[in-house]
Amino acid sequence: MTAETLILIPVHRAKANWLISFLNSLALYEIADDAKVLLITSDCTDHTHFTRALAYHPLAKHLVFLDAAEWIAFTLSSDVLLTRLLENSDGGIINLKKMIGLQWALQNGVQHVLCLDSDVLALAGLSRIHQVAKINHDKALYLGAGIAGVANCDLFGRIIAESAQLFDPDDQKKLAELTDGHTLYTWYGDLPVYGREDLTAFFDYMQAVHGSLEAFLTALRWATFDHMLYVLHRVACRGARIYNYRKELGIGASPEFLKPRELVDISAETGLEVGWIGASTAFDHPEAFRLLPNLTMLSHFDRF
């Protein structure tokens, strides 16, 4: 498979309705012949189910299916990792499947990957979505806010801290400083896009720290979010930075709950293009579609 850009989605049957809704929304727009969407299933049973269910979808020729269990068996020959995937005892299967998909993307020459959950909706065609995502990725700037006083602050702190623990000791200290003691939260502040050069460096780093790709993948847990790890690596090792909009502008909401006018103010200060917001935010604040000209996706339809 040859594709410059890729959308990657881990799938399972319990959320098949969200996946089909997303694919239906994407099918409303023009799609280049070489555009691809990678769907990552857990095992051969799910792989068979999804390949049959989507065989006649309007986007069928753009869909690529990856069986995560088969990838582990043939690429790493790891019984330990295969057991972790299939049993999902710690709830980290989605992060494992995303990392497997990102590895597959590198192996297949993809330059930019947009890694999504299935509960999203397209507001533009794939080329436009990737264009906006790439603009922000190239700025190497991420939105973040302190978690003090916000709902789920303990959970947010846990996610930052457990993600940082996968780094080497020196970088853990650096990340503690750069995230104000694991309190500067960035998750879903922007479209979760990965660039090939930084993604290659990320996997090289994690393999060096953990001793092997298998050991790194085995260390993933529910709270070690895929894009959080990538952002922390870019911040600690690749010159990216986090813009603390609570400190700079006095806006207190966590990134995924920012309102349109707050995003306009942040965009004016940072130059970031707002590529997506939560579905409930968009429908509570319909001015989003007027104020945010680069809005190309809605997230979290499962929380609507």
Side-chain angles (χ1 to χ4, degrees):
M1 188 209 82
T2 301
E4 177 79 10
T5 57
L6 179 75
I7 282 186
L8 181 164
I9 304 176
V11 298
H12 67 127
R13 278 181 274 184
K15 288 196 173 184
N17 57 326
W18 298 118
L19 172 66
I20 293 171
S21 293
F22 167 64
L23 294 176
N24 288 347
S25 70
L26 201 58
L28 296 174
Y29 302 93
E30 183 177 352
I31 299 179
D33 288 341
D34 63 345
K36 299 297 179 185
V37 177
L38 176 66
L39 304 179
I40 308 166
T41 63
S42 299
D43 54 31
C44 62
T45 301
D46 272 2
H47 188 269
T48 300
H49 172 82
F50 279 100
T51 54
R52 289 178 176 174
L54 296 170
Y56 297 101
H57 190 274
L59 296 186
K61 72 175 185 178
H62 299 282
L63 302 180
V64 181
F65 299 88
L66 177 64
D67 179 342
E70 183 179 65
W71 186 91
I72 290 172
F74 282 93
T75 304
L76 297 177
S77 300
S78 172
D79 291 337
V80 172
L81 196 56
L82 189 59
T83 298
R84 287 201 61 244
L85 172 77
L86 298 178
E87 293 183 354
N88 191 29
S89 57
D90 55 25
I93 188 172
I94 190 169
N95 295 318
L96 177 55
K97 287 166 70 173
K98 286 180 177 179
M99 287 297 174
I100 288 171
L102 291 169
Q103 270 286 306
W104 183 95
L106 288 178
Q107 293 166 355
N108 285 272
V110 178
Q111 298 300 310
H112 286 89
V113 184
L114 192 56
C115 187
L116 305 172
D117 296 330
S118 57
D119 55 346
V120 294
L121 188 78
L123 302 176
L126 269 181
S127 60
R128 179 62 176 153
I129 292 170
H130 283 298
Q131 180 187 37
V132 173
K134 184 179 184 298
I135 288 172
N136 284 345
H137 183 274
D138 290 349
K139 292 180 186 295
L141 179 66
Y142 295 96
L143 301 183
I147 61 176
V150 304
N152 296 321
C153 61
D154 291 341
L155 175 62
F156 292 165
R158 174 194 166 195
I159 291 166
I160 303 169
E162 289 194 24
S163 296
Q165 287 172 6
L166 296 189
F167 290 74
D168 75 26
D170 289 340
D171 287 329
Q172 287 185 35
K173 294 177 183 177
K174 185 187 297 185
L175 287 169
E177 294 177 5
L178 293 171
T179 61
D180 295 339
H182 302 145
T183 65
L184 194 55
Y185 192 70
T186 62
W187 180 251
Y188 267 30
D190 194 15
L191 291 162
V193 63
Y194 301 74
R196 182 176 184 83
E197 183 177 335
D198 283 327
L199 185 58
T200 299
F202 167 79
F203 276 116
D204 287 346
Y205 173 92
M206 287 300 178
Q207 289 181 64
V209 170
H210 294 271
S212 67
L213 176 61
E214 176 187 357
F216 164 59
L217 295 178
T218 302
L220 295 171
R221 295 293 184 268
W222 178 88
T224 54
F225 288 5
D226 59 294
H227 200 244
M228 178 72 74
L229 293 173
Y230 179 75
V231 168
L232 292 178
H233 179 259
R234 288 192 88 198
V235 169
C237 306
R238 306 285 290 178
R241 65 187 183 92
I242 301 172
Y243 178 77
N244 187 342
Y245 56 79
R246 171 178 280 194
K247 178 180 178 182
E248 300 296 332
L249 299 176
I251 298 172
S254 59
E256 60 185 309
F257 299 113
L258 288 166
K259 296 180 176 62
R261 294 190 183 277
E262 293 172 331
L263 286 164
V264 169
D265 292 340
I266 293 170
S267 180
E269 288 293 319
T270 63
L272 285 177
E273 307 289 353
V274 179
W276 75 353
I277 58 175
S280 60
T281 300
F283 281 84
D284 288 340
H285 301 274
E287 68 273 16
F289 300 97
R290 173 176 54 85
L291 296 174
L292 305 173
N294 293 298
L295 191 61
T296 57
M297 298 194 80
L298 299 180
S299 66
H300 285 326
F301 262 88
D302 63 339
R303 303 181 189 181
F304 198 89

